Amino acid sequence: MAVAGRSGPVMGREDVDRALARLAAEHEAVESSLLSLQDHSGRRLLEGAELTGVTKERWAATDAAITALWAHFDAYTDALTTARELRARRRWPTQTELRELTDLLRGDGVTVTGADLPDHARSLTGPARLTERLSLEEIVGRMNGWYDQAMETVAAADSVWSALPARIDLLAAETQRVRSLAHSVGVRPGAHPAGDDLEALVAELTALRAQAVSDPLAFWSATPPPGRPDTARYEEAGRRLDGIRREVEAVLHVRDDAEHRLARLRDVLSRADRTLTEARSARVEVLSKILASDVPAVSGPASALHEQLAAAGDFARTAQWHRLSPLLDSLEQHADDELLRARESLTAVTAPLAVRAELRGRLDAYRAKVARLGLAEDPLLIERYDQARRLLWSAPCDLAAAERTVRRYQDAVAEVGAQRPQGPPQDRR
């Protein structure tokens, strides 16, 4: 909108004609702006919507401003029409007519009623008055302020309505697809945390859309200029849906991979049981063949794990994938631990047999060395060997005594070997 010229002394004929031409152009621009505001989609939606909250308060003030805007425009139009008619009376207006034209075009020659002002504008101008006399410049100034206020409100509401509800609808549709998929694998409210989260998200999106429709300005961020829709809550809902989708996909993965994981678990627990059985048999053998009091006891199979494995099989057969998922994760860890424990138990139980085997091997190795040295007929070595062999091949075997005897045999071999005279090297040609 253009701004009316400043008031001054009585205008001449040419000044009046120039002012009327400028005001006519200004009037046309103002009218075009008002009609654009009237046809604005945001204004039409605000006018017909059931508003709440911030938008309801701002639209009440804006609607009053638009009403005042049109009232002032009518006064502006009437003043311009009167000035045109006065100027059209004669080619050369009289001094009285020029004074009247000057008052209309530059002075406070336009009368508006106090009822045309919005409530907030009246409070700024002091006590309410029945009428006011304003210049065209003052009228245009007021109209500019109200027009800016109205355009800011309707454009902001229109921008939010164009951006948020449609996006919320798409997100809600995607949420329903995830919800259907979740229900198909047993992820339901009360049965799985993701099912509760899904129901809460559906309710949140419903409330979010209702608020975006009834109170769009609650989702408008004016900074930085020119402003933009505030989509923080929508984006947070999208992130929540992504998290829920990952939970559901994890359950789906469990369903697709359940048979393979269950087969592996059965195999691991079976190997653990066989290892424990072997350890128990080995313990009986150790107690009968080795003189020892510190052979560790061997526990029985892990019945709790077998019960959980049976429950996992039931969950798979009844498609309770949401319950199977955490159970399989726990079982896999505990089954591997059980197999490791069984192996450690077998190693601990058979350790004395391994020590005996190592002593037997060492004794045979030194006997072979004695033969290579030509000392097989040495009485001391024969005696020491027989003592060690008798201890190592008797049952129960006293490992501590056998180890001392083998060490004595080794020492004797070293001693006899050192006392044997060294002859000249033989010619092998």
Side-chain angles (χ1 to χ4, degrees), residues 274-311:
R274 290 197 302 270
T275 303
L276 288 174
T277 300
E278 184 180 352
R280 285 192 292 273
S281 299
R283 187 173 188 274
V284 173
E285 180 183 0
V286 168
L287 290 175
S288 64
K289 294 182 178 181
I290 305 295
L291 185 62
S293 59
D294 57 349
V295 181
V298 180
S299 64
S303 57
L305 292 182
H306 285 281
E307 291 173 0
Q308 293 176 13
L309 182 59

Side-chain angles (χ1 to χ4, degrees), residues 70-138:
W70 278 104
H72 280 61
F73 179 70
D74 290 341
Y76 181 92
T77 302
D78 292 342
L80 183 58
T81 300
T82 300
R84 283 172 173 169
E85 291 174 351
L86 182 59
R87 176 64 186 90
R89 289 179 183 174
R90 53 181 59 84
R91 182 177 179 184
W92 298 96
T94 65
Q95 195 65 22
T96 301
E97 290 171 339
L98 288 175
R99 278 197 296 271
E100 291 180 15
L101 286 168
T102 300
D103 187 48
L104 279 172
L105 300 178
R106 288 186 177 175
D108 300 335
V110 184
T111 301
V112 295
T113 63
D116 292 335
L117 290 175
D119 291 339
H120 67 277
R122 294 179 198 175
S123 63
L124 293 176
T125 57
R129 288 176 287 179
L130 295 178
T131 60
E132 284 186 289
R133 291 187 62 81
L134 304 172
S135 66
L136 292 178
E137 181 180 1
E138 291 172 326

